[in-house]
Amino acid sequence: MSSVTGTATGTATGKTTTPGPTNATERVPAASAATPASPVSPASPVSPAPPEASAPASDALTHRGPTPVAPVGPVAPVAPVRRALRRLPHLLAKGATKSAAIVALALLWETAPRLGLVDRTFLPPFSEVARAWWGLATDGQLTDNARASLVRSFSGFGLAVVVAVPLGLLIGWYRPVADLLGPLLEVFRNTAALALLPVFVLLLGIGETSKISIVVYACTWPILLNTISAVRSVDPTLLKLAKSMNLSAPRLFQKVILPSSVPVIFTGIRLAGAASILVLVAAEMIGAKAGLGYLINASQFNFAIPQMYAGIITISAIGVIFNQVLVAVERRLSSWRVPARG
């Protein structure tokens, strides 16, 4: 009653009198209604801002631009080094397993002549052969003869790959070409290369041409036959799928036939790599003035038996290295294959 009377009296006299609120519940609505846009007083409690609203302001004050990345520095090669150290015992065990048979053969070769199990005149100990190999390597004879043999072998091998792989693709893919050349191929592939060596010498002489030609002949057949087999054994489902996509013949060869044929083709190439060295050595024994075959033959005539075995070991080492190079190339070209888990 008092607050209502006071308000009416003030209105009647022309003076504004602010009534005092009686409780706290009436104070808050009155203040908000009187000053709707007034700033918050320092005494009033302020609710904390949410994290989402304060994060951009903090970033704007502390980080101007993109967040800098800490330099890696010398810490980068730590992971590969640790990985290599972790794999080291496995690699050592694997290398020891692969070389155990070779070490055992060398020990048997060393001890058998010394114990009198074989005549050391015809089979000297391995240490004497190693000294003879080092002597041939230091005076340059081994290098010169190996260079001559490698030039002939790689030349014939390369020509055989260039000729046999495209011809094998044609014969394996086009049936008319296979019907035309099939009987002729059967005749020549069953004729040994060394049996034709006198023919090559008579027709081409005893120079480099006859030796390279006999290597080409010996290397062609493994590559050709494996290429034909590779093309004919391509998965028919892949061929049907590729043809349903309207691929042209060149794209079909590039995307389906060649990738599927690589493993079998390289099997023939590896066989040809071994044949290129073996046939060449036999050709150099008949008529040559340089080469590993010539070195072995001359050492036999001069009864230099350690030098003869040194030449044989060199041929074996070249064959192993050449085969490993071909295996690495095959893995690179057929990296799409999923390795089989034993």
Side-chain angles (χ1 to χ4, degrees), residues 85-100:
L85 291 177
R86 202 178 300 117
R87 288 172 52 88
L88 185 60
H90 173 69
L91 294 177
L92 291 177
K94 187 176 180 181
T97 303
K98 289 186 175 182
S99 60

Side-chain angles (χ1 to χ4, degrees), residues 50-69:
E52 293 80 1
S54 61
S58 177
D59 291 340
L61 293 175
T62 58
H63 302 292
R64 298 183 181 275
T67 304
V69 180

Side-chain angles (χ1 to χ4, degrees), residues 236-320:
T237 305
L238 295 177
L239 294 177
K240 291 179 181 179
L241 180 61
K243 290 179 180 179
S244 66
M245 299 174 65
N246 295 325
L247 289 180
S248 60
R251 296 287 292 177
L252 186 64
F253 263 89
Q254 179 185 1
K255 296 298 183 180
V256 179
I257 297 176
L258 285 180
S260 301
S261 304
V262 163
V264 182
I265 291 176
F266 261 89
T267 301
I269 290 177
R270 291 169 60 186
L271 293 174
S276 66
I277 299 176
L278 299 178
V279 173
L280 177 64
V281 170
E284 289 176 343
M285 288 181 177
I286 293 178
K289 295 183 179 180
L292 293 175
Y294 167 78
L295 175 64
I296 295 172
N297 201 29
S299 300
Q300 179 191 6
F301 284 146
N302 296 327
F303 211 74
I305 305 301
Q307 285 81 358
M308 182 189 71
Y309 283 107
I312 296 173
I313 291 176
T314 304
I315 293 174
S316 301
I318 291 175
V320 170

Side-chain angles (χ1 to χ4, degrees), residues 92-116:
L92 291 177
K94 187 176 180 181
T97 303
K98 289 186 175 182
S99 60
I102 298 178
V103 173
L105 177 62
L107 291 176
L108 180 63
W109 189 350
E110 178 69 25
T111 56
R114 297 185 181 277
L115 296 177

Side-chain angles (χ1 to χ4, degrees), residues 31-32 34-46:
S32 62
T35 58
S38 61
V40 180
S41 62
S44 61
V46 180

Side-chain angles (χ1 to χ4, degrees), residues 190-266:
N190 289 292
T191 305
L194 295 180
L196 294 177
L197 181 57
V199 179
F200 280 95
V201 173
L202 290 175
L203 296 178
L204 303 175
I206 61 173
E208 300 296 320
T209 306
S210 62
K211 297 176 181 58
I212 295 176
S213 300
I214 195 67
V215 172
V216 172
Y217 180 86
C219 295
T220 297
W221 304 112
I223 301 174
L224 181 63
L225 298 176
N226 279 271
T227 304
I228 295 172
S229 176
V231 174
R232 291 180 178 176
S233 61
V234 175
D235 190 357
T237 305
L238 295 177
L239 294 177
K240 291 179 181 179
L241 180 61
K243 290 179 180 179
S244 66
M245 299 174 65
N246 295 325
L247 289 180
S248 60
R251 296 287 292 177
L252 186 64
F253 263 89
Q254 179 185 1
K255 296 298 183 180
V256 179
I257 297 176
L258 285 180
S260 301
S261 304
V262 163
V264 182
I265 291 176
F266 261 89

